[in-house]
Amino acid sequence: MLASVDPDLDDGPRTHRYATKRMCAVTREVRPIDELIRFVVSPQGEVVADLKRKLPGRGLWVSASRRAVAEAVRRNHFGRGFKRDLRTTATLPADTETLLIRSAVEALAIAAKAGQVVSGFAKVGDALDSRQARAQVKALIHASDGAPDGIRKLDAFVRPNGGINDESPRIPVVTALTSEQLDLALGRPNVIHAALLAGPASKRFLSRSQILVRYRMADDDKNEGQTAKKRY
């Protein structure tokens, strides 16, 4: 259902809580809210991304795509949607990506504090090479700037018939964050590889990683779904 009869704006954070879809202000397509980003106007009159969908005021929704956000800025969709003069900077697409990265880093830090992350090449390899331990692994994480050789060796465990010879579900690979960002999330230096273990916090990190990758893929919808399932 749609949260409001207004195709552009919702009526505040409480009303959209029960909505499953909204209209993108750029494409005019009705999409699931998990594929959109809500934007609001700050008290200073600036357009800001409301990733948690909790900020007060009416919200305008844009596809979770850097291209769509850039188009919204270029064509003044925010000014028209909110029906007022706004300060919308050209850096909004990059600023939104920064917020998405921060959100993913925070989610990974919470997962680590909950004991749902192991890091280091040897520990990750052990987790993937043991049938019992592997059953708890929900994702393999590599730094986007990690050395190809180490990535290739660990990736072998999650390919079909790789590592232990069983029929366990293929484990997704996350490469959305840099080593510096992984260091920040896990509170230790030089993190290149990690394994995400089962738990509520790990699900949150995977969800936020998917949103970040979707944003960077710039609405490549035909390949987006399959890529997100395998590597993101």
Side-chain angles (χ1 to χ4, degrees), residues 30-116:
V30 176
R31 308 182 67 170
I33 60 173
D34 288 342
E35 297 178 8
L36 300 163
I37 295 174
R38 182 176 189 258
F39 289 86
V40 299
V41 180
S42 74
Q44 293 74 36
E46 298 176 340
V47 176
V48 295
D50 177 21
L51 301 184
K52 296 182 179 180
R53 306 166 190 159
K54 293 182 179 180
L55 293 179
R58 305 192 73 184
L60 183 143
W61 300 71
V62 177
S63 296
S65 154
R66 182 165 181 147
R67 177 186 297 172
V69 176
E71 185 76 359
V73 173
R74 188 174 71 86
R75 293 185 175 272
N76 194 32
H77 283 291
F78 293 109
R80 291 202 301 270
F82 286 107
K83 300 175 178 62
R84 55 186 287 193
D85 291 332
L86 295 171
R87 288 184 292 169
T88 308
T89 68
T91 63
L92 184 61
D95 295 342
T96 301
E97 182 172 348
T98 297
L99 291 176
L100 290 168
I101 292 170
R102 185 183 304 166
S103 177
V105 168
E106 290 174 352
L108 185 58
I110 291 172
K113 290 179 181 178
Q116 295 168 22

Coordinates of all heavy atoms in Angstrom, one line a residue, residues 30-116:
V30 N 6.6 3.2 -8.8 CA 6.3 2.7 -7.4 C 7.2 1.5 -7.2 O 7.1 0.5 -7.9 CB 4.8 2.4 -7.3 CG1 4.5 1.8 -5.9 CG2 4.0 3.6 -7.6
R31 N 8.0 1.6 -6.1 CA 8.9 0.6 -5.8 C 8.9 0.2 -4.3 O 8.4 1.1 -3.5 CB 10.4 1.0 -6.1 CG 10.5 1.5 -7.5 CD 11.9 1.9 -7.9 NE 12.8 0.8 -7.9 CZ 14.1 0.8 -8.4 NH1 14.6 2.0 -8.8 NH2 14.8 -0.3 -8.4
P32 N 9.3 -1.0 -3.9 CA 9.4 -1.3 -2.5 C 10.3 -0.3 -1.7 O 11.3 0.2 -2.3 CB 10.0 -2.7 -2.4 CG 9.7 -3.3 -3.8 CD 9.8 -2.1 -4.7
I33 N 9.9 0.1 -0.5 CA 10.6 1.1 0.2 C 12.1 0.7 0.5 O 12.9 1.6 0.7 CB 9.9 1.5 1.5 CG1 9.8 0.3 2.5 CG2 8.6 2.2 1.2 CD1 9.2 0.7 3.8
D34 N 12.4 -0.6 0.5 CA 13.7 -1.1 0.7 C 14.6 -0.7 -0.5 O 15.8 -0.8 -0.4 CB 13.8 -2.6 1.0 CG 13.2 -2.9 2.4 OD1 13.2 -2.0 3.2 OD2 12.9 -4.1 2.6
E35 N 14.0 -0.3 -1.6 CA 14.8 0.0 -2.8 C 14.8 1.5 -3.0 O 15.2 2.0 -4.0 CB 14.2 -0.6 -4.0 CG 14.3 -2.2 -4.0 CD 13.6 -2.8 -5.2 OE1 13.2 -2.1 -6.1 OE2 13.5 -4.0 -5.2
L36 N 14.4 2.3 -2.0 CA 14.3 3.7 -2.0 C 15.0 4.4 -0.8 O 15.3 3.7 0.2 CB 12.9 4.2 -2.0 CG 12.0 3.7 -3.2 CD1 10.5 3.9 -2.8 CD2 12.3 4.4 -4.5
I37 N 15.4 5.6 -1.0 CA 15.9 6.4 0.1 C 15.0 7.6 0.4 O 14.5 8.2 -0.5 CB 17.3 6.9 -0.2 CG1 18.3 5.8 -0.4 CG2 17.8 7.9 0.9 CD1 19.7 6.2 -0.8
R38 N 14.7 7.8 1.7 CA 13.8 8.9 2.1 C 14.7 10.1 2.3 O 15.7 10.0 3.0 CB 13.0 8.5 3.3 CG 12.1 9.6 3.8 CD 11.3 9.1 5.0 NE 10.2 10.0 5.4 CZ 10.2 10.8 6.4 NH1 11.3 10.9 7.2 NH2 9.2 11.6 6.7
F39 N 14.2 11.3 1.8 CA 14.9 12.5 2.0 C 14.0 13.5 2.7 O 12.8 13.5 2.4 CB 15.4 13.1 0.7 CG 16.5 12.4 0.0 CD1 16.3 11.3 -0.8 CD2 17.8 12.8 0.3 CE1 17.3 10.6 -1.4 CE2 18.9 12.1 -0.3 CZ 18.6 11.0 -1.1
V40 N 14.5 14.3 3.6 CA 13.7 15.3 4.3 C 14.5 16.6 4.2 O 15.6 16.7 3.8 CB 13.5 14.9 5.8 CG1 12.7 13.6 5.9 CG2 14.8 14.8 6.6
V41 N 13.8 17.7 4.7 CA 14.4 19.0 4.7 C 14.8 19.3 6.2 O 13.9 19.2 7.1 CB 13.5 20.1 4.2 CG1 14.1 21.5 4.3 CG2 13.1 19.8 2.8
S42 N 16.0 19.6 6.4 CA 16.5 19.9 7.8 C 16.0 21.3 8.2 O 15.5 22.1 7.4 CB 18.0 19.9 7.8 OG 18.5 21.1 7.2
P43 N 16.1 21.6 9.5 CA 15.7 22.9 10.0 C 16.4 24.1 9.3 O 16.0 25.2 9.3 CB 16.0 22.9 11.5 CG 15.9 21.4 11.8 CD 16.4 20.7 10.6
Q44 N 17.6 23.8 8.8 CA 18.4 24.8 8.1 C 18.0 24.9 6.6 O 18.7 25.7 5.9 CB 19.9 24.4 8.2 CG 20.5 24.5 9.6 CD 20.1 23.4 10.5 OE1 19.9 22.2 10.0 NE2 19.8 23.6 11.8
G45 N 17.1 24.1 6.2 CA 16.6 24.2 4.8 C 17.4 23.4 3.8 O 17.4 23.6 2.6
E46 N 18.2 22.4 4.3 CA 19.0 21.6 3.5 C 18.3 20.2 3.3 O 17.7 19.7 4.3 CB 20.4 21.4 4.1 CG 21.2 22.7 4.3 CD 22.5 22.5 5.0 OE1 22.6 21.5 5.7 OE2 23.4 23.4 4.8
V47 N 18.5 19.6 2.1 CA 18.0 18.3 1.9 C 19.0 17.3 2.4 O 20.2 17.3 2.1 CB 17.8 18.1 0.4 CG1 17.3 16.6 0.1 CG2 16.7 19.0 -0.2
V48 N 18.5 16.3 3.2 CA 19.4 15.3 3.8 C 18.7 13.9 3.7 O 17.5 13.8 3.7 CB 19.6 15.6 5.3 CG1 20.4 16.9 5.5 CG2 18.4 15.7 6.1
A49 N 19.5 12.9 3.5 CA 19.0 11.5 3.5 C 18.6 11.0 4.8 O 19.4 11.2 5.8 CB 20.1 10.6 2.9
D50 N 17.5 10.4 4.9 CA 17.0 9.9 6.2 C 17.0 8.3 6.1 O 16.0 7.7 5.8 CB 15.5 10.4 6.4 CG 14.9 9.7 7.7 OD1 15.6 9.3 8.5 OD2 13.7 9.7 7.8
L51 N 18.2 7.8 6.2 CA 18.4 6.3 6.0 C 17.5 5.5 7.0 O 17.1 4.4 6.6 CB 19.8 5.9 6.1 CG 20.8 6.6 5.2 CD1 22.2 6.1 5.4 CD2 20.4 6.5 3.7
K52 N 17.3 5.9 8.2 CA 16.6 5.1 9.2 C 15.1 5.4 9.1 O 14.3 4.8 9.8 CB 17.1 5.4 10.6 CG 18.5 4.9 10.7 CD 19.0 5.1 12.2 CE 20.4 4.6 12.4 NZ 20.9 4.8 13.8
R53 N 14.7 6.4 8.2 CA 13.3 6.8 8.0 C 12.6 7.2 9.3 O 11.4 6.9 9.6 CB 12.5 5.6 7.4 CG 13.1 5.0 6.1 CD 12.6 3.7 5.8 NE 13.3 3.1 4.7 CZ 13.3 1.8 4.4 NH1 12.6 1.0 5.2 NH2 14.0 1.3 3.4
K54 N 13.3 7.9 10.1 CA 12.8 8.4 11.4 C 12.8 9.9 11.6 O 12.2 10.4 12.6 CB 13.6 7.7 12.5 CG 13.4 6.2 12.6 CD 14.2 5.7 13.8 CE 14.0 4.2 14.0 NZ 14.8 3.6 15.1
L55 N 13.4 10.6 10.7 CA 13.5 12.1 10.9 C 12.1 12.7 10.7 O 11.3 12.3 9.9 CB 14.5 12.7 9.9 CG 16.0 12.3 10.1 CD1 16.8 12.9 9.0 CD2 16.4 12.6 11.5
P56 N 11.8 13.8 11.4 CA 10.5 14.4 11.4 C 10.3 15.2 10.1 O 11.2 15.5 9.4 CB 10.5 15.4 12.6 CG 12.0 15.7 12.8 CD 12.7 14.4 12.5
G57 N 9.0 15.4 9.8 CA 8.7 16.2 8.6 C 8.3 15.3 7.5 O 8.5 14.0 7.5
R58 N 7.8 15.9 6.4 CA 7.4 15.1 5.3 C 8.6 14.6 4.5 O 9.6 15.3 4.5 CB 6.4 15.9 4.4 CG 5.2 16.5 5.1 CD 4.2 17.0 4.1 NE 3.5 16.0 3.4 CZ 2.6 16.2 2.4 NH1 2.4 17.4 2.1 NH2 2.0 15.2 1.8
G59 N 8.5 13.5 3.9 CA 9.6 12.9 3.2 C 9.4 12.7 1.7 O 8.3 12.4 1.3
L60 N 10.4 12.9 0.9 CA 10.4 12.6 -0.5 C 11.3 11.4 -0.8 O 12.4 11.3 -0.2 CB 10.9 13.8 -1.3 CG 10.8 13.7 -2.8 CD1 10.4 15.1 -3.4 CD2 12.2 13.3 -3.4
W61 N 10.8 10.5 -1.6 CA 11.5 9.2 -1.8 C 12.2 9.2 -3.2 O 11.6 9.5 -4.2 CB 10.6 8.0 -1.7 CG 10.0 8.0 -0.3 CD1 9.0 8.8 0.2 CD2 10.3 7.0 0.7 NE1 8.7 8.4 1.5 CE2 9.4 7.3 1.8 CE3 11.1 5.9 0.8 CZ2 9.5 6.6 3.0 CZ3 11.1 5.2 2.0 CH2 10.3 5.5 3.1
V62 N 13.4 8.7 -3.2 CA 14.2 8.5 -4.5 C 14.8 7.1 -4.5 O 15.2 6.6 -3.5 CB 15.3 9.6 -4.6 CG1 16.2 9.4 -5.8 CG2 14.7 11.0 -4.5
S63 N 14.9 6.6 -5.7 CA 15.5 5.2 -5.9 C 16.9 5.2 -5.2 O 17.6 6.2 -5.3 CB 15.6 4.9 -7.3 OG 14.3 4.7 -7.9
A64 N 17.2 4.1 -4.6 CA 18.5 4.0 -3.9 C 19.6 3.8 -5.0 O 20.1 2.7 -5.1 CB 18.5 2.8 -2.9
S65 N 19.9 4.9 -5.6 CA 20.8 4.9 -6.7 C 21.5 6.2 -6.8 O 20.9 7.3 -6.7 CB 20.1 4.6 -8.0 OG 20.8 5.2 -9.1
R66 N 22.8 6.2 -6.9 CA 23.6 7.5 -7.0 C 23.1 8.2 -8.2 O 23.0 9.5 -8.2 CB 25.1 7.2 -7.0 CG 25.9 8.4 -7.0 CD 27.4 8.2 -6.7 NE 28.1 9.4 -6.7 CZ 29.2 9.7 -6.0 NH1 29.6 8.8 -5.1 NH2 29.8 10.8 -6.1
R67 N 22.9 7.5 -9.3 CA 22.5 8.2 -10.5 C 21.1 8.9 -10.3 O 20.9 10.0 -10.7 CB 22.3 7.2 -11.6 CG 21.8 7.7 -12.9 CD 21.6 6.7 -14.0 NE 22.8 6.0 -14.3 CZ 22.9 4.9 -15.1 NH1 21.8 4.3 -15.5 NH2 24.0 4.3 -15.4
A68 N 20.2 8.2 -9.6 CA 18.9 8.8 -9.4 C 19.0 10.1 -8.5 O 18.3 11.1 -8.7 CB 17.9 7.8 -8.8
V69 N 19.8 10.0 -7.4 CA 19.9 11.1 -6.6 C 20.6 12.3 -7.3 O 20.2 13.5 -7.1 CB 20.8 10.8 -5.3 CG1 21.0 12.0 -4.4 CG2 20.0 9.7 -4.5
A70 N 21.6 12.0 -8.1 CA 22.2 13.1 -8.9 C 21.2 13.7 -9.9 O 21.2 14.9 -10.1 CB 23.4 12.5 -9.7
E71 N 20.3 12.9 -10.5 CA 19.3 13.4 -11.4 C 18.3 14.3 -10.6 O 17.9 15.3 -11.1 CB 18.6 12.2 -12.0 CG 17.6 12.6 -13.1 CD 18.2 13.0 -14.4 OE1 19.5 13.1 -14.5 OE2 17.5 13.4 -15.3
A72 N 18.0 13.8 -9.4 CA 17.0 14.6 -8.6 C 17.6 16.0 -8.3 O 16.9 17.0 -8.3 CB 16.7 13.9 -7.3
V73 N 18.9 16.1 -8.0 CA 19.6 17.4 -7.8 C 19.6 18.2 -9.0 O 19.2 19.4 -9.0 CB 21.0 17.1 -7.2 CG1 21.8 18.5 -7.1 CG2 21.0 16.5 -5.9
R74 N 20.0 17.6 -10.1 CA 20.2 18.3 -11.4 C 18.9 18.9 -11.9 O 18.8 20.0 -12.4 CB 20.8 17.4 -12.4 CG 21.2 18.1 -13.7 CD 21.9 17.1 -14.7 NE 21.0 16.1 -15.2 CZ 20.3 16.3 -16.3 NH1 20.3 17.5 -17.0 NH2 19.5 15.3 -16.8
R75 N 17.8 18.1 -11.8 CA 16.5 18.6 -12.3 C 15.6 19.2 -11.2 O 14.4 19.4 -11.5 CB 15.8 17.4 -12.9 CG 16.4 16.8 -14.2 CD 15.6 15.7 -14.8 NE 16.2 15.3 -16.1 CZ 15.9 15.9 -17.3 NH1 15.1 16.9 -17.3 NH2 16.5 15.4 -18.4
N76 N 16.2 19.5 -10.1 CA 15.4 20.2 -9.0 C 14.2 19.4 -8.6 O 13.1 20.0 -8.3 CB 15.1 21.6 -9.4 CG 14.7 22.4 -8.2 OD1 15.1 22.2 -7.1 ND2 13.8 23.4 -8.4
H77 N 14.2 18.1 -8.5 CA 13.1 17.3 -8.1 C 12.8 17.6 -6.6 O 11.6 17.5 -6.2 CB 13.3 15.8 -8.3 CG 13.2 15.4 -9.7 ND1 12.0 15.3 -10.3 CD2 14.1 14.9 -10.6 CE1 12.2 14.9 -11.6 NE2 13.4 14.6 -11.8
F78 N 13.8 17.9 -5.8 CA 13.6 18.2 -4.4 C 12.8 19.5 -4.2 O 11.9 19.5 -3.4 CB 14.9 18.2 -3.7 CG 15.6 16.9 -3.6 CD1 16.8 16.7 -4.3 CD2 15.1 15.9 -2.8 CE1 17.4 15.5 -4.3 CE2 15.8 14.7 -2.8 CZ 16.9 14.5 -3.5
G79 N 13.2 20.5 -4.9 CA 12.5 21.8 -4.8 C 11.0 21.7 -5.3 O 10.1 22.2 -4.6
R80 N 10.8 21.0 -6.4 CA 9.5 20.8 -6.9 C 8.6 19.9 -5.9 O 7.5 20.1 -5.7 CB 9.5 20.2 -8.3 CG 10.0 21.2 -9.3 CD 9.5 20.9 -10.7 NE 9.9 19.5 -11.1 CZ 11.0 19.2 -11.7 NH1 11.9 20.2 -12.0 NH2 11.3 18.0 -12.1
G81 N 9.3 18.8 -5.4 CA 8.6 17.9 -4.6 C 8.2 18.5 -3.3 O 7.0 18.3 -2.8
F82 N 9.1 19.2 -2.6 CA 8.8 19.9 -1.4 C 8.1 21.2 -1.5 O 7.7 21.9 -0.6 CB 10.1 20.1 -0.6 CG 10.6 18.8 0.0 CD1 11.8 18.2 -0.5 CD2 10.0 18.2 1.1 CE1 12.3 17.0 0.1 CE2 10.5 17.0 1.7 CZ 11.6 16.4 1.2
K83 N 8.0 21.7 -2.8 CA 7.3 22.9 -3.2 C 7.8 24.1 -2.4 O 7.1 24.9 -1.8 CB 5.8 22.7 -2.9 CG 5.1 21.6 -3.7 CD 3.7 21.4 -3.3 CE 3.1 20.3 -4.2 NZ 3.7 19.0 -4.0
R84 N 9.2 24.2 -2.4 CA 9.8 25.4 -1.8 C 11.3 25.5 -2.3 O 11.8 24.6 -2.9 CB 9.8 25.2 -0.3 CG 10.5 23.9 0.2 CD 10.4 23.7 1.7 NE 11.3 24.5 2.4 CZ 11.5 24.3 3.7 NH1 10.9 23.3 4.4 NH2 12.3 25.1 4.4
D85 N 11.9 26.7 -2.1 CA 13.2 26.9 -2.5 C 14.1 26.2 -1.5 O 14.0 26.4 -0.3 CB 13.6 28.4 -2.5 CG 12.9 29.1 -3.7 OD1 12.6 28.4 -4.7 OD2 12.6 30.3 -3.6
L86 N 15.1 25.4 -2.0 CA 15.9 24.6 -1.1 C 17.3 24.7 -1.4 O 17.7 24.9 -2.6 CB 15.5 23.1 -1.1 CG 14.1 22.7 -0.7 CD1 13.8 21.3 -1.0 CD2 14.0 22.9 0.8
R87 N 18.2 24.5 -0.5 CA 19.6 24.4 -0.7 C 20.0 23.0 -0.9 O 20.2 22.2 0.0 CB 20.4 25.0 0.5 CG 20.3 26.5 0.6 CD 21.2 27.0 1.8 NE 20.7 26.6 3.0 CZ 21.3 26.7 4.2 NH1 22.5 27.2 4.2 NH2 20.8 26.4 5.3
T88 N 20.1 22.6 -2.2 CA 20.5 21.2 -2.5 C 21.8 21.3 -3.2 O 22.0 21.7 -4.3 CB 19.4 20.6 -3.5 OG1 18.1 20.8 -2.9 CG2 19.7 19.1 -3.7
T89 N 22.8 20.8 -2.5 CA 24.2 20.9 -3.1 C 24.5 19.8 -4.0 O 23.9 18.7 -4.0 CB 25.2 20.8 -1.9 OG1 25.2 19.5 -1.3 CG2 24.9 21.8 -0.8
A90 N 25.4 20.0 -4.9 CA 25.8 19.0 -5.9 C 26.5 17.8 -5.3 O 26.7 16.8 -5.9 CB 26.8 19.7 -6.9
T91 N 26.9 18.0 -4.0 CA 27.6 16.9 -3.3 C 26.6 15.9 -2.6 O 27.0 14.9 -2.0 CB 28.5 17.4 -2.2 OG1 27.8 18.1 -1.2 CG2 29.6 18.4 -2.8
L92 N 25.3 16.1 -2.8 CA 24.3 15.3 -2.1 C 24.5 13.8 -2.5 O 24.4 12.9 -1.6 CB 22.9 15.7 -2.4 CG 21.8 15.0 -1.7 CD1 21.9 15.1 -0.2 CD2 20.4 15.5 -2.2
P93 N 24.7 13.4 -3.8 CA 24.9 12.0 -4.1 C 26.1 11.4 -3.3 O 26.0 10.3 -2.8 CB 25.2 12.0 -5.6 CG 24.5 13.2 -6.1 CD 24.7 14.2 -5.0
A94 N 27.2 12.1 -3.3 CA 28.4 11.6 -2.5 C 28.1 11.6 -1.0 O 28.6 10.7 -0.3 CB 29.6 12.5 -2.9
D95 N 27.5 12.7 -0.5 CA 27.2 12.7 0.9 C 26.3 11.6 1.3 O 26.4 11.0 2.4 CB 26.5 14.1 1.2 CG 27.4 15.3 1.0 OD1 28.6 15.1 1.0 OD2 26.8 16.4 0.9
T96 N 25.3 11.2 0.4 CA 24.4 10.1 0.7 C 25.2 8.8 0.8 O 25.0 7.9 1.6 CB 23.3 10.0 -0.3 OG1 22.6 11.3 -0.3 CG2 22.3 8.9 0.0
E97 N 26.1 8.6 -0.2 CA 26.9 7.4 -0.2 C 27.8 7.3 1.1 O 27.9 6.2 1.7 CB 27.9 7.4 -1.4 CG 28.7 6.1 -1.4 CD 29.4 5.9 -2.7 OE1 29.2 6.7 -3.7 OE2 30.3 5.0 -2.8
T98 N 28.3 8.5 1.6 CA 29.1 8.5 2.8 C 28.2 8.0 4.0 O 28.7 7.2 4.8 CB 29.6 9.9 3.1 OG1 30.5 10.3 2.0 CG2 30.4 9.9 4.4
L99 N 27.0 8.4 4.0 CA 26.1 8.0 5.1 C 25.8 6.5 5.0 O 25.7 5.8 6.0 CB 24.7 8.8 5.0 CG 24.8 10.3 5.4 CD1 23.4 10.9 5.1 CD2 25.2 10.5 6.8
L100 N 25.6 6.0 3.8 CA 25.4 4.6 3.6 C 26.6 3.8 4.0 O 26.4 2.7 4.6 CB 25.1 4.3 2.1 CG 23.7 4.8 1.6 CD1 23.7 4.7 0.1 CD2 22.6 4.0 2.2
I101 N 27.8 4.2 3.7 CA 29.0 3.6 4.2 C 29.1 3.6 5.7 O 29.4 2.5 6.3 CB 30.3 4.2 3.6 CG1 30.3 4.0 2.1 CG2 31.5 3.7 4.3 CD1 31.4 4.9 1.4
R102 N 28.8 4.7 6.3 CA 28.8 4.8 7.8 C 27.8 3.8 8.4 O 28.1 3.2 9.4 CB 28.5 6.2 8.2 CG 28.6 6.5 9.7 CD 28.3 7.9 10.0 NE 29.1 8.9 9.3 CZ 28.8 10.2 9.1 NH1 27.7 10.6 9.7 NH2 29.6 11.0 8.5
S103 N 26.7 3.7 7.8 CA 25.6 2.9 8.3 C 26.1 1.4 8.2 O 25.9 0.6 9.2 CB 24.3 3.0 7.4 OG 23.3 2.1 7.8
A104 N 26.7 1.0 7.1 CA 27.2 -0.4 7.0 C 28.4 -0.6 8.0 O 28.4 -1.7 8.7 CB 27.7 -0.6 5.6
V105 N 29.3 0.3 8.2 CA 30.4 0.2 9.2 C 29.8 0.0 10.6 O 30.3 -0.8 11.4 CB 31.3 1.4 9.1 CG1 32.3 1.4 10.3 CG2 32.1 1.4 7.8
E106 N 28.8 0.9 10.9 CA 28.2 0.8 12.3 C 27.6 -0.6 12.5 O 27.7 -1.2 13.6 CB 27.2 1.9 12.4 CG 27.8 3.3 12.6 CD 26.8 4.4 12.6 OE1 25.6 4.1 12.4 OE2 27.2 5.5 12.8
A107 N 26.9 -1.1 11.4 CA 26.2 -2.4 11.6 C 27.2 -3.5 11.7 O 27.0 -4.5 12.5 CB 25.4 -2.7 10.3
L108 N 28.4 -3.4 11.0 CA 29.4 -4.4 11.2 C 30.0 -4.4 12.6 O 30.3 -5.4 13.2 CB 30.5 -4.3 10.1 CG 31.6 -5.3 10.1 CD1 31.0 -6.7 9.9 CD2 32.6 -5.0 9.0
A109 N 30.2 -3.2 13.1 CA 30.8 -3.0 14.4 C 29.8 -3.7 15.5 O 30.3 -4.3 16.4 CB 31.0 -1.5 14.8
I110 N 28.5 -3.5 15.3 CA 27.6 -4.1 16.2 C 27.6 -5.6 16.1 O 27.6 -6.3 17.2 CB 26.2 -3.5 15.9 CG1 26.1 -2.1 16.3 CG2 25.1 -4.3 16.7 CD1 24.8 -1.4 15.9
A111 N 27.7 -6.1 14.9 CA 27.8 -7.6 14.7 C 29.1 -8.1 15.4 O 29.1 -9.2 16.0 CB 27.8 -7.9 13.2
A112 N 30.2 -7.4 15.3 CA 31.4 -7.8 15.9 C 31.3 -7.8 17.4 O 31.8 -8.8 18.1 CB 32.6 -6.9 15.5
K113 N 30.7 -6.8 18.0 CA 30.5 -6.8 19.5 C 29.6 -7.9 19.9 O 29.7 -8.3 21.1 CB 29.9 -5.4 19.9 CG 30.9 -4.2 19.7 CD 30.3 -2.9 20.1 CE 31.2 -1.8 20.0 NZ 30.6 -0.5 20.3
A114 N 28.7 -8.3 19.0 CA 27.8 -9.5 19.4 C 28.5 -10.8 19.2 O 27.8 -11.9 19.3 CB 26.5 -9.4 18.6
G115 N 29.8 -10.8 18.8 CA 30.5 -12.1 18.5 C 30.1 -12.7 17.2 O 30.3 -14.0 17.1
Q116 N 29.6 -12.0 16.3 CA 29.1 -12.5 15.0 C 30.1 -12.3 13.8 O 29.7 -12.4 12.7 CB 27.7 -12.0 14.7 CG 26.7 -12.4 15.7 CD 25.4 -11.7 15.6 OE1 25.1 -11.1 14.5 NE2 24.6 -11.7 16.7

